Amino acid sequence: MNIKAIKGASVRCENLQKSFGAVKAVDSVSFEIGGSEFVTLLGPSGSGKTTTLMMIAGFEVPSDGDILINDRSVAVVQPRSRDIGMIFQNYALFPHMTVYQNVAFPLRMRGRDEQETRQRVRIALETVGLTGYDARFPRQLSGGQQQRVAFARAIVFDAPLLLMDEPLGALDKQLRQRLQLEVKRIQRDLGVTVIYVTHDQEEALVMSDRIILMNDARIAQMGTPSELYDRPVNKFVASFLGESNMLHGQLDQTRGDEGSMTLGGRVITGQLAAGLNAGDAALLVVRPEKIRLADEHSSIRTNRLPGRVLESIYVGDHLRLVVGTEDGAQLVVRHPIYFGGGDINLGDTVELGWHPADTRILQAS
Ligand code: ATP
């Protein structure tokens, strides 16, 4: 016997709504998660992540809409009958129980016999790297170890769906990064579906197959980490994930899914977000690491802007430059040292260049 999830559950939320009095915590949220996916609900504090997760778990009742697990509505299914493993930030281990008793608890609740329980707990503890810790109490464990116990308890009964709410939030950065990779590895090995809540964008980018980015109770964008990072649909997404240069202007022309703007007297082209028309106020977005210091030999012919170096900060593997353009805009440039960074001085005149494919044109508001 091993702890092998049958197959990750699919989850579908249809037009979920949740209000607490006058507060709309979740508004018109719809998404579909396939079996064995790792999906993260990401967003700023108060954007509705936990409320969404609690409705899937069955601890909050939706004001409207439906939730289907493996294509069956769970509207009238009690939390304990939803067959979901849960892990929270504060571990929620039983302090008076040993590690063994904590991990065995879900099996006892399900009336599994002693022999099966012993075997499953052993495998679960082995999976999370805690073999030999059976007799300890939670207070005798570090934070990281306690979180591993919580993880073992969530996977011990073969739940096809795990819900995690900021499970690594209380740990220091190094341990958090190690456990991120471990949780991801275990999820992949077990084939279990995970819905994971975090407000840490880096954590979401590292762990997720797909990210559901929430803002103000609604979904701002849903997609793979690279879709959200490279093709943000609006200003909120572009500024929430990573760093972006944003230049205001007017959309001059459109051609298919490309558009052009005039900035500092130069024509800049980029990929258009939906819903923009020529003449609209627009926002040009380009990431600092996509901009090169171009010279006459550069392959980048379009999207070139002259400017002056206003700031240059040495950050080990790159120089962080702030370049001011002729019309007063400022762009941050991440200039890798291996391109030769030693000869860039404050006040230098430079020519910036970046590819249209790395440029997004979004609605200004
Ligand atoms: P955080 O990252 O801070 O945990 P979140 O994105 O998980 O935030 P939620 O906890 O889902 O956000 O809360 C969404 C909104 O609903 C917030 O405005 C919050 O104050 C409100 N809210 C949540 N639970 C309740 C409740 N039980 N009663 C009243 N308002 C609530």
Side-chain angles (χ1 to χ4, degrees), residues 20 23 25 44-51:
F20 296 103
V23 178
S45 186
S47 56
K49 310 179 294 291
T50 296
T51 306

Side-chain angles (χ1 to χ4, degrees), residues 243-245 288-289 309-323 331-337 344 346:
E243 194 177 8
S244 292
N245 289 295
E289 72 274 14
V309 178
L310 304 178
E311 239 180 69
S312 170
I313 299 163
Y314 176 75
V315 199
D317 61 341
H318 70 276
L319 289 180
R320 185 184 163 82
L321 307 174
V322 177
V323 175
L331 288 99
V332 174
V333 178
R334 191 186 162 100
H335 183 65
I337 301 283
I344 295 170
L346 290 187

Side-chain angles (χ1 to χ4, degrees), residues 18 20-21 23-26 43-52 60 165-166 197-199 214:
K18 180 69 186 180
F20 296 103
V23 178
K24 203 142 212 195
V26 172
S45 186
S47 56
K49 310 179 294 291
T50 296
T51 306
T52 302
E60 292 286 359
D165 194 350
E166 304 262 8
V197 164
T198 183
H199 64 271
M214 296 191 65

Side-chain angles (χ1 to χ4, degrees), residues 2 65 148 160 183 186 204 235-236 277 292 305 313 317 365:
N2 60 9
R148 284 170 204 263
V183 168
I186 295 171
K235 187 177 171 182
F236 169 78
N277 297 304
R292 293 281 160 261
L305 265 187
I313 299 163
D317 61 341
S365 53

Side-chain angles (χ1 to χ4, degrees), residues 27-267:
D27 189 10
S28 316
V29 164
S30 298
F31 58 80
E32 204 167 340
I33 296 175
S36 307
E37 255 193 303
F38 193 117
V39 173
T40 297
L41 294 170
L42 174 70
S45 186
S47 56
K49 310 179 294 291
T50 296
T51 306
T52 302
L53 202 74
M54 288 301 128
M55 288 192 279
I56 297 169
F59 297 129
E60 292 286 359
V61 179
S63 308
D64 203 356
D66 201 2
I67 298 166
L68 296 92
I69 298 181
N70 285 336
D71 295 321
R72 281 186 38 224
S73 171
V74 291
V76 294
V77 180
Q78 288 300 309
R80 92 168 84 98
S81 306
R82 293 190 185 190
D83 226 10
I84 293 172
M86 301 214 48
I87 306 171
F88 301 100
Q89 176 169 345
N90 55 7
Y91 322 129
L93 299 177
F94 303 113
H96 58 287
M97 289 187 190
T98 62
V99 165
Y100 181 91
Q101 290 165 337
N102 264 286
V103 178
F105 185 79
L107 300 172
R108 297 254 154 83
M109 293 286 289
R110 287 168 172 76
R112 306 286 175 88
D113 69 41
E114 200 50 44
Q115 192 197 350
E116 183 188 345
T117 300
R118 235 178 296 124
Q119 216 171 349
R120 282 185 175 276
V121 172
R122 182 179 59 73
I123 295 167
L125 287 177
E126 192 181 298
T127 305
V128 301
L130 281 184
T131 299
Y133 285 73
D134 310 47
R136 295 225 198 159
F137 286 93
R139 65 174 180 279
Q140 298 171 314
L141 299 172
S142 71
Q145 290 166 336
Q146 290 184 45
Q147 200 51 291
R148 284 170 204 263
V149 176
F151 198 65
R153 189 177 59 183
I155 61 175
V156 76
F157 60 99
D158 277 353
L161 175 61
L162 297 181
L163 305 182
M164 307 194 198
D165 194 350
E166 304 262 8
L168 310 179
L171 308 176
D172 67 55
K173 188 165 179 201
Q174 247 182 346
L175 183 57
R176 210 165 67 215
Q177 287 176 334
R178 211 173 69 222
L179 284 182
Q180 283 168 5
L181 299 179
E182 234 173 274
V183 168
K184 179 76 190 149
R185 175 185 59 77
I186 295 171
Q187 179 264 337
R188 214 181 290 127
D189 288 353
L190 297 178
V192 62
T193 303
V194 169
I195 307 179
Y196 190 98
V197 164
T198 183
H199 64 271
D200 179 341
Q201 46 133 333
E202 215 176 291
E203 185 158 288
L205 289 173
V206 168
M207 300 184 82
S208 318
D209 295 317
R210 282 192 302 151
I211 296 171
I212 298 172
L213 179 54
M214 296 191 65
N215 184 32
D216 218 1
R218 289 170 170 262
I219 295 178
Q221 189 172 354
M222 176 164 40
T224 63
S226 69
E227 275 166 358
L228 266 69
Y229 188 84
D230 294 328
R231 295 200 292 282
V233 294
N234 60 35
K235 187 177 171 182
F236 169 78
V237 180
S239 54
F240 192 84
L241 277 183
E243 194 177 8
S244 292
N245 289 295
M246 298 193 181
L247 303 175
H248 285 272
Q250 182 187 301
L251 180 62
D252 296 331
Q253 282 184 12
T254 65
R255 204 178 63 196
D257 54 6
E258 275 209 343
S260 62
M261 297 168 67
T262 309
L263 296 164
R266 305 281 188 100
V267 175

